[in-house]
Amino acid sequence: MYEDFTVTDHWTAEPLHCAWKGTIVAIATRHADSTDIRFAVNGKPVWIALPNLAWVEQRRRTGKVITDYLAAQIAGRYLKQAIESGYDNGREMYTMTVDEVLAHAAVVVKEAGGTAALPSLPVIHEDVQPERELGIALPGEPAA
């Protein structure tokens, strides 16, 4: 769905490959009350910030929760629409509102046919080692 897709840039007609790379709770990293979803867009980092209040509001309104998988899909759908509509201007960070998060969540779940049908994360190919791809060393192992 929206964890790995190609979209055409509104202004340049250039194809842009967008791939989910990670999810970080920004309270610790940016001192922000959000969860940041990182994508690589033609290799460049782009962050979509989802306000943490959206998790609370989703639960209050629907009784359902926003999972990590759903959060990545919400952010990916938002990014895709931003690029297609011309809203994307090459920024590294976009911030969604609570209402935007909830609206995108409803559409994503409907498109998928339920949260159980959402693609799992991370996107891993059998010939790719995540620690090498991300340039990290697993605990207790020397850096590559």
Side-chain angles (χ1 to χ4, degrees), residues 31-48:
H31 304 289
D33 191 16
S34 69
T35 297
D36 295 348
I37 313 293
R38 181 178 182 259
F39 280 84
V41 178
N42 280 4
K44 296 180 183 173
V46 175
W47 297 88
I48 310 296

Side-chain angles (χ1 to χ4, degrees), residues 71-129:
Q73 298 299 322
I74 291 166
R77 185 172 192 279
Y78 177 87
L79 176 61
K80 184 175 188 285
Q81 285 190 339
I83 293 168
E84 288 175 334
S85 69
Y87 178 67
D88 173 61
N89 65 357
R91 290 186 291 165
E92 284 191 19
M93 178 153 293
Y94 296 85
T95 302
M96 296 179 71
T97 66
V98 170
D99 287 337
E100 286 174 327
V101 171
L102 300 181
H104 282 278
V107 173
V108 166
V109 170
K110 185 175 181 181
E111 286 178 357
T115 54
L118 293 173
S120 63
L121 300 172
V123 180
I124 298 177
H125 301 280
E126 59 189 45
D127 60 339
V128 174
Q129 295 177 318

Side-chain angles (χ1 to χ4, degrees), residues 59-79:
R59 178 73 172 189
R60 188 185 70 75
R61 291 183 190 181
T62 69
K64 311 273 187 209
V65 297
I66 297 174
T67 64
D68 290 347
Y69 300 153
L70 180 54
Q73 298 299 322
I74 291 166
R77 185 172 192 279
Y78 177 87
L79 176 61

